[in-house]
Amino acid sequence: MSDAFRPQVLAGKVVFIAGASSGINLGIARRLHAEGAKVAIASRKHDKITAAAASIAPDVLGLAADVRDYAGIEAALRTAHDRFGPIDILVSGAAGNFLAPALGMSANAFKTVIDIDLIGTFNVLRAGFEFLNKPGASAISITAPQGERPAMFQAHACAAKAGINMLTQCLGMEWGPLGVRVNAISPGPIADTEGMARLAPTPEMEAMVKGRLALRDYGTKDDIAEAVIWLATGASRYVTGTVIDVDGGARLGDARSPI
Ligand code: NAP
Ligand code: COA
């Protein structure tokens, strides 16, 4: 069937995505908009987020808010709610990362990543709850394989993403009876992203990362958007409190060696 005649699976649904001025989350926003959703995106920098929104379509709402600022993210959620109506799909994906050994990291460096990734995710979900379309809303956090297995020079990101994984389980239990499913997606290395530019900046490092993966390649932003769509629709109606790995086998570890 030509795309022009394919039904849009998210027609009329309202989506709010935190941390979507670039990368995976902007890719999710673009794809969900193409599926008929009304999309609001937020990140720290006004110029960057409004340009990102405009790059998708004129009706996408770009809002400046730092996930570390509860009142700021709550105001952004309220603005999206007032423009589009109750939020059906809430995605928390803001993150910061850099490679640094723990001994090369100040207390503030560690805290900064915990504040953006973990506390920021709590803020987005906690503030977002009030604006969700209940029952039936789906809350989705973006975690990473580092939340389940340690990685060199990423003590901050590993701890933060492990916290998101546990938060997903706790909120899944608490909010299921209230009509909200809470899940997370764990992307593996995704091509053309800031994350991989930071973690594997040279062609040699990229080849090494791919060589260790069971599926031997980077994923795409669309691979992650597909998982968001699944978690956003009734196809996943009996799924909550879980982390979906879309990671080419990254969580499994080094797929070259028997030990
Ligand atoms: P990215 O393009 O740098 O995306 C991060 C986003 O978060 C940006 O839009 C950034 O926008 C926003 N952000 C950062 N700090 C923020 C804050 N305090 N408040 C609000 N927004 C903030 O990176 P990416 O690689 O696509 O990563 C996206 C997500 O996927 C992250 O959660 C990351 O951990 C996860 N992930 C990525 C990979 C990968 O291969 N890239 C793998 C596993 C998991 P502003 O700078 O405009 O605020
Ligand atoms: N190594 C060690 N410490 C570092 C560092 C690095 N590469 N980069 C930053 N830090 C430290 C800073 O020195 C500072 O600590 P200090 O006050 O003790 O000096 C602390 O981290 C906070 O840095 P700052 O630049 O003030 O934070 P910020 O809030 O402006 O930015 C970051 C947050 C550091 C995470 C920044 O990299 C960022 O904005 N990232 C978003 C994009 C991204 O990371 N994308 C990939 C997602 S997976």
Side-chain angles (χ1 to χ4, degrees):
M1 188 190 297
S2 141
D3 267 5
F5 297 106
R6 196 170 56 84
Q8 293 176 307
V9 295
L10 299 177
K13 296 288 185 189
V14 177
V15 180
F16 183 99
I17 308 177
S21 65
S22 58
I24 293 172
N25 302 317
L26 179 58
I28 294 168
R30 198 179 298 286
R31 183 64 202 286
L32 268 53
H33 185 270
E35 292 294 346
K38 297 181 234 174
V39 176
I41 58 178
S43 78
R44 286 171 296 183
K45 297 161 192 155
H46 177 266
D47 290 355
K48 206 173 148 190
I49 197 69
T50 48
S55 80
I56 302 175
D59 63 335
V60 173
L61 186 57
L63 299 162
D66 190 321
V67 295
R68 293 170 286 192
D69 169 16
Y70 190 88
I73 199 71
E74 186 178 41
L77 285 152
R78 178 173 288 107
T79 302
H81 174 274
D82 291 351
R83 170 77 66 94
F84 295 136
I87 296 166
D88 299 290
I89 303 151
L90 175 63
V91 180
S92 175
N97 198 6
F98 47 80
L99 289 177
L103 294 177
M105 211 184 278
S106 67
N108 189 47
F110 186 84
K111 179 177 181 298
T112 297
V113 171
I114 299 291
D115 279 348
I116 300 171
D117 294 27
L118 178 55
I119 313 282
T121 292
F122 180 80
N123 289 346
V124 170
L125 297 183
R126 174 68 186 84
F129 184 86
E130 314 296 341
F131 301 103
L132 293 179
N133 192 9
K134 302 181 275 287
S138 178
I140 302 161
S141 300
I142 306 299
T143 180
Q146 292 93 311
E148 293 197 45
R149 62 167 178 74
M152 291 296 284
F153 312 133
Q154 292 186 73
H156 46 357
C158 290
K161 294 297 192 183
I164 290 174
N165 294 354
M166 183 52 77
L167 186 64
T168 301
Q169 296 175 69
C170 293
L171 298 188
M173 291 179 91
E174 291 192 22
W175 292 359
L178 305 177
V180 179
R181 295 186 299 112
V182 184
N183 293 289
I185 293 169
S186 176
I190 301 300
D192 304 320
T193 60
E194 180 63 24
M196 290 319 295
R198 290 178 180 225
L199 299 186
T202 65
E204 293 74 24
M205 289 179 79
E206 184 176 322
M208 186 183 74
V209 172
K210 287 178 180 171
R212 289 176 175 178
L213 285 169
L215 296 186
R216 297 287 197 267
D217 201 1
Y218 281 2
T220 66
K221 292 163 199 163
D222 241 20
D223 289 328
I224 307 308
E226 288 292 344
V228 171
I229 290 168
W230 183 72
L231 281 175
T233 65
S236 62
R237 59 175 285 277
Y238 205 49
V239 178
T240 199
T242 196
V243 175
I244 310 283
D245 299 309
V246 186
D247 70 351
R251 182 182 56 84
L252 306 174
D254 190 339
R256 295 172 307 177
S257 159
I259 55 163

